[in-house]
């Protein structure tokens, strides 16, 4: 049973285990220090000021964010060093928002083509030189990013357009596969090294070489990368648990949910895709995983109900509370207005999800 | 290109095509009238007062909602006949919220076990007789619901507990499969008919026999069902398009998204799972579908990017705007604070998603 007091908080809700978060933040900070690289964690995972502060206090150099809207939410709270880690299409309204951020914030933006550099510089006009740009390199995920060998041409275009070239980055998103983490970490480093070479042959220097994701971070080889950008590590999730990145003792966020129906060994919970997200990788055991019942299978997830095929322990009763770990914690957090914070089983407060829905 | 004026609205955002919504609302209302059944549409799809009003103006008898929180959002705006279509676990705080609703609202709740009837009646105390209860029957989805043959025992328990038995209902969620809609509609009707018989043998009468989902509604046979509860039909989505329930001309909601990267025939858009939801049925062609490019495949969806393998038409350019139809519109709507409303290509206003995140 989770919660305190005579009356429990209505379920479902997302609850953070603060000591575990603090341990996760400290562990990744230590890992970055040992590697001799900067840590710029991805704030899209938590979207919360309190967690970003913990990360900076532990030594992070700044934040990675996903959108200008997220940058605005963190800049408004005083965060001054932000990297928007996705190539954007910047039109006049977005250029105005970027200019407003530049008054107080060091801002890095992403580009992945020569055309993208020209569009960005045109939109920013005389402020083009005030933003640092990072060239995104495709290390194998095939989402966005230029082929490493073509990074030199993009660097050339960036400088010719008047942008301030800072370096190269990649997101090794194809490392979210069982058994693939170490291999993908090598592909990541290789792609970044080739991009740095290509930029050098074009006559430019990469000050920043940025990589890293939660599943690949522990396999990052020293020497090439100067910065890591993991996000999920602060909370962990069922995907990372099943990938072997973290054990259940490192999972710091779960959806507290009540049993609403029991039929045979089938248990229905009041958490659904509107609470934890519908993410499910082909290799996942189910739609999330129960923290205290890892062998129970979450076989069906509709908007407001999760169906669990129970393990061999005694069946729960109506109203029993369970902790469902989302498959993908970033999706779950973005569905909530606040995260309840608990310490050793006692709920002690909440954090606002300040950048919830900040998609533009 | 979507939008009006010198400056376009920032992407991504959800946009509703009002004339198509109105046609969809009218068509389902006409279908229910032809069948001779009441229409109680599921408001979890749209979570918006404006759309609920359109549905009631077209003849709906009331609304179905997913949670007490949704009931509160609609009751606060004057909706007076609400069915919460999921068995709940009602503790003291939830019982207080239910009592507050009963002051002004006719409220139906769901039960699917004898134990559930007793828990509900205990929690409501002297108000137990003021809520109508509907017995959920499992017609094959295996989420919640009692076996039809056991509905009589649940009816007996409901009446003994002092609840006001209204009837039986089912959600034929297993009808969301290609080629399965007509068969599942028959299973739905059969299950309800068997449940009505079981309740009759226990000595009780079902005033309401409620079924229906968007994919099965058109196959509902007359005679057994007295009420339909479809939700998705107001907007349609890529799932319904691929199931054959609707053609693209009936799709009334899309995410307006900008091209941010083009590599070969791979086009990256600024819409992702945080805008349209990560739902993907095993049979879906991808993570949503482009309204004007149905043969393009949305092969990858991360939180802020969709990757599209383009069709044979000319490649789009950076900044081009496209309409991405979500796989599951209910998930997409719940991610947004508002729905932009357009009429014949002109954006004329917006609807608040008043029940966004109302999961408890």
């Amino acid at each position: 049973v989770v919660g305190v007091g005579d009356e429990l908080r209505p379920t479902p809700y997302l609850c953070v285990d603060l000591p575990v978060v603090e341990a996760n933040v400290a562990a990744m900070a230590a890992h970055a220090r040992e590697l001799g690289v900067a840590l710029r964690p991805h704030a899209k995972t938590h979207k919360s000021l309190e967690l970003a502060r913990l990360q900076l206090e532990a030594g992070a150099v700044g934040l990675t964010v996903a959108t200008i809207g997220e940058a605005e939410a963190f800049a408004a709270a005083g965060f001054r060093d932000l990297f928007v880690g996705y190539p954007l299409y910047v039109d006049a309204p977005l250029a105005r928002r970027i200019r407003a951020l530049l008054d107080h914030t060091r801002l890095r933006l992403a580009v992945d083509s020569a055309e993208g550099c020209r569009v960005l510089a045109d939109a920013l006009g005389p402020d083009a030189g005030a933003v640092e740009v990072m060239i995104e390199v495709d290390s194998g995920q095939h989402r966005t990013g230029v082929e490493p060998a073509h990074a030199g041409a993009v660097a050339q275009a960036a400088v010719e357009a008047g942008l301030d070239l800072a370096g190269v980055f990649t997101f090794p998103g194809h490392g979210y596969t069982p058994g693939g983490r170490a291999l993908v970490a090598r592909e990541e480093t290789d792609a970044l090294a080739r991009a740095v070479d290509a930029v050098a042959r074009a006559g430019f220097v990469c000050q920043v070489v940025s990589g890293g994701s939660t599943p690949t971070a522990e396999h990052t080889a020293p020497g090439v990368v100067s910065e890591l950008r993991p996000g999920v590590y602060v909370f962990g999730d069922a995907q990372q648990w099943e990938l072997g990145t973290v054990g259940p003792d490192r999972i710091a966020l779960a959806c507290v949910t009540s049993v609403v129906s029991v039929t045979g060994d089938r248990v229905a919970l009041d958490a659904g895709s509107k609470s934890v997200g519908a993410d499910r990788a082909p290799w996942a055991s189910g739609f999330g995983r129960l923290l205290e019942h890892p062998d129970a299978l979450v076989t069906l997830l509709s908007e407001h109900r999760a169906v669990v095929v129970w393990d061999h322990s005694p069946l729960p009763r109506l109203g029993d509370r369970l902790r469902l770990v989302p498959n993908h914690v970033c999706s779950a957090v973005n569905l909530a207005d606040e995260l309840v914070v608990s310490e050793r089983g006692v709920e002690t407060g909440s954090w606002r999800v300040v950048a919830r829905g900040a998609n533009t």
Side-chain angles (χ1 to χ4, degrees), chain A:
Chain A
V1 174
V2 183
V4 288
D6 286 345
E7 290 197 343
L8 300 174
R9 188 182 295 272
T11 58
Y13 63 94
L14 301 185
C15 189
V16 167
D17 187 325
L18 183 58
V20 181
V21 165
E22 290 173 335
N24 290 345
V25 167
M28 188 62 82
H31 177 62
R33 271 195 305 275
E34 278 162 32
L35 266 180
V37 303
L39 181 62
R40 185 183 289 278
H42 214 316
K44 72 174 168 58
T45 298
H46 54 73
K47 293 175 173 273
S48 102
L49 303 178
E50 291 85 352
L51 225 158
R53 285 187 196 113
L54 287 179
Q55 292 174 316
L56 264 69
E57 284 162 13
V61 297
L63 299 175
T64 306
V65 295
T67 63
I68 296 296
E70 282 192 355
E72 289 165 339
F74 285 99
F79 293 88
R80 294 282 171 260
D81 192 339
L82 303 172
F83 170 41
V84 186
Y86 299 73
L88 305 173
Y89 175 76
V90 177
D91 58 5
L94 202 56
R96 278 201 302 277
R97 293 166 62 194
I98 290 170
R99 273 188 215 106
L101 284 167
L102 287 172
D103 287 345
H104 302 287
T105 311
R106 174 187 189 175
L107 193 64
R108 284 187 188 147
L109 299 180
V111 292
D112 73 345
S113 69
E115 171 74 1
C117 293
R118 289 187 286 270
V119 169
L120 176 60
D122 282 353
L124 293 174
D127 296 306
V131 295
E132 298 180 13
V133 297
M134 297 279 286
I135 299 169
E136 187 178 15
V137 175
D138 182 5
S139 53
Q141 187 193 20
H142 307 322
R143 181 175 73 185
T144 49
V146 67
E147 286 294 306
H150 301 151
V154 180
Q156 180 83 40
V159 172
E160 283 175 7
L163 299 164
D164 180 9
L165 178 68
V168 293
F169 79 105
T170 194
F171 173 61
H174 56 312
Y176 288 66
T177 42
R181 298 189 293 128
L183 171 66
V184 169
R186 284 198 297 278
E187 292 177 356
E188 176 190 11
T189 308
D190 288 353
L192 287 170
R194 284 183 287 137
V196 169
D197 283 351
V199 170
R201 283 197 304 276
F204 306 103
V205 174
C206 290
Q207 306 283 349
V208 184
V209 182
S210 180
S213 68
T214 294
T216 58
E218 69 176 290
H219 300 287
T220 302
V224 172
V225 168
S226 72
E227 177 184 279
L228 288 180
R229 303 186 325 279
V232 167
Y233 76 97
V234 290
F235 296 135
D237 57 22
Q239 285 186 167
Q240 300 304 323
W241 188 4
E242 299 199 340
L243 286 172
T245 312
V246 297
D249 56 313
R250 294 277 298 277
I251 291 177
L253 184 147
C255 181
V256 180
T257 172
S258 298
V259 173
V260 290
S261 179
V262 180
T263 308
D265 67 347
R266 202 173 76 218
V267 174
L269 309 175
D270 66 1
S273 61
K274 283 178 174 170
S275 302
V276 297
D279 301 66
R280 183 178 180 177
W283 45 262
S285 71
F287 292 96
R289 210 162 169 195
L290 290 174
L291 194 53
E292 283 84 11
H293 296 274
D295 295 330
L297 288 176
V298 185
T299 54
L300 188 155
L301 192 77
S302 61
E303 289 157 62
H304 295 278
R305 291 296 177 263
V307 173
V308 183
V309 176
W310 201 245
D311 60 18
H312 295 295
S313 68
L315 282 168
R317 298 188 49 136
L318 294 184
D320 281 358
R321 294 185 166 210
L322 299 166
R323 292 197 285 176
L324 176 62
V325 181
N327 270 344
H328 186 187
V329 73
C330 308
S331 293
V333 168
N334 186 53
L335 291 162
D337 290 306
E338 62 167 19
L339 308 177
V340 175
V341 178
S342 72
E343 298 180 59
R344 281 161 285 275
V346 180
E347 293 178 356
T348 52
S350 67
W351 294 341
R352 240 188 96 213
V353 184
V354 290
R356 183 197 57 74
N359 290 329
T360 67

